[in-house]
Amino acid sequence: MSDRPRLWLPRKVSDATIARAKTNYDVILNEADGVSSAEQIVDMSRQVDAMMPCHSEIFSADVVEQLDPRLKILANHSVGTDHCDLTALKAKGIVVTNTPDVLSDATAEIAMLLMLGAARRAVEGDRLVRSGKWDFWSPSFMVGKQVSGARLGIIGMGRVGKAFAKKALGFDMEIHYYNRSRLPDTEESGSTYHAAIESLLPNADFLSLHCPATPETRHLLNTETIALLPDGAIVINTARGALVDETALLAALNSGKLTAAGLDCFETEPGGNSDFSAQDNIFMLPHIGSATVRTREAMGFRALDNLDAFFAGREPRDLL
């Protein structure tokens, strides 16, 4: 019997990640690549020393309570940890890590795509051309909202928020941001800090969300906060669906308070919100912010770095 640590990969990660994992661990793959139930997670905890979960695997307090003592570490294949009850896991003695840094640029690219697509009516235009109904043009045809030189509000100036702000500067945007703490002068790049979200919102022709999902940030964007945005603003969300009250967002889009929205995440995933489907002014993607070959390999390798450190008796780099 092998004395190597046993590792469960509940989702299909990159081939490079799997190949590297097999050099140091006895790997169990989930060939079905489906979301694991609580029962499956608990059952696997009796068989492995480590898991590399994604945000689709839920480690609630109830699940954590049932985990077998054999399981020592969760090396998340994600930055976000809202799928993990960190307090319960710590009390259980299970180490938790994540994969910061490596997906910032890829996610910022998707935020830029969503902002441009929402502003320039990409959904409506694409449908028009694909349907064969594009038979008209005039100076007033398909007029959208210009991104260049507009005011961009960013909530959450962490790694992804800063990467997005850097890219937005290429469009000569005026950056305003809210963060739990102000960035050092050397990292602000001329942007304007707001100590309260309520101060930021009136200055956001475009609003991009980059903060974690917590009980405090749930439905951060709601009827009251949307009302503080300039008329015709556009909302971008590449963080977590729980940040947005989707009923309030839809109402604001239908009333004209908001011009459009660009969304890569939803309150219900997978699937999204069926009420959004008929809206030409919502540009949607299926939570693919980090979905590039380079980034997914980097995420897997970062998770393995954390596992290697742990089983070598060192503190993992991304210990939470």
Side-chain angles (χ1 to χ4, degrees), residues 150-154 173-177 192-194 196-207 228-230 233:
R151 297 174 298 174
L152 171 62
I154 296 176
M173 300 189 83
E174 177 186 311
I175 312 294
H176 295 257
Y177 76 96
T192 300
Y193 172 67
H194 294 262
I197 291 174
E198 292 77 11
S199 168
L200 167 73
L201 294 175
N203 294 283
D205 301 311
F206 293 84
L207 178 70
L228 297 176
L229 289 166

Side-chain angles (χ1 to χ4, degrees), residues 32-264:
D33 194 23
V35 176
S36 299
S37 66
E39 290 77 13
Q40 289 173 307
I41 292 172
V42 172
D43 180 61
M44 290 305 301
S45 74
R46 304 184 187 103
Q47 304 178 47
V48 299
D49 307 290
M51 296 182 181
M52 189 190 293
C54 299
H55 69 275
S56 53
E57 282 66 62
I58 307 301
F59 291 84
S60 64
D62 289 343
V63 171
V64 173
E65 184 180 2
Q66 301 174 65
L67 295 176
D68 192 86
R70 175 173 180 173
L71 179 65
K72 300 298 192 296
I73 179 171
L74 298 181
N76 280 296
H77 189 280
S78 65
V79 173
T81 57
D82 50 303
H83 60 293
C84 294
D85 189 316
L86 296 178
T87 301
L89 286 161
K90 184 176 182 179
K92 191 82 171 181
I94 296 174
V95 171
V96 182
T97 63
N98 66 343
T99 59
D101 301 319
V102 295
L103 52 72
S104 302
D105 279 325
T107 304
E109 288 175 1
I110 287 292
M112 184 60 68
L113 172 63
L114 290 169
M115 180 167 68
L116 292 169
R120 299 304 298 271
R121 301 170 66 172
V123 174
E124 187 178 354
D126 183 77
R127 286 177 175 172
L128 190 63
V129 176
R130 287 179 186 275
S131 68
K133 296 179 180 178
W134 178 34
D135 59 1
F136 176 79
W137 184 91
S138 84
S140 61
F141 175 66
M142 288 287 296
V143 174
K145 187 179 181 75
Q146 189 148 329
V147 170
S148 299
R151 297 174 298 174
L152 171 62
I154 296 176
I155 296 180
M157 202 65 140
R159 297 174 181 88
V160 179
K162 285 189 284 188
F164 182 51
K166 183 178 179 180
K167 290 170 173 52
L169 288 172
F171 285 83
D172 297 320
M173 300 189 83
E174 177 186 311
I175 312 294
H176 295 257
Y177 76 96
Y178 166 79
N179 202 46
R180 285 177 295 182
S181 58
R182 185 169 185 170
L183 297 178
D185 291 345
T186 54
E187 296 180 23
E188 284 194 323
S189 300
S191 57
T192 300
Y193 172 67
H194 294 262
I197 291 174
E198 292 77 11
S199 168
L200 167 73
L201 294 175
N203 294 283
D205 301 311
F206 293 84
L207 178 70
S208 193
L209 305 180
H210 296 283
C211 55
T214 66
E216 293 73 30
T217 60
R218 176 174 170 75
H219 286 183
L220 178 151
L221 196 68
N222 53 47
T223 301
E224 290 73 26
T225 50
I226 289 172
L228 297 176
L229 289 166
D231 290 346
I234 290 177
V235 169
I236 309 301
N237 187 10
T238 55
R240 285 291 187 265
L243 301 176
V244 177
D245 180 338
E246 293 182 347
T247 300
L249 177 66
L250 188 59
L253 289 165
N254 286 330
S255 72
K257 171 62 181 178
L258 297 179
T259 294
L263 308 173
D264 187 44

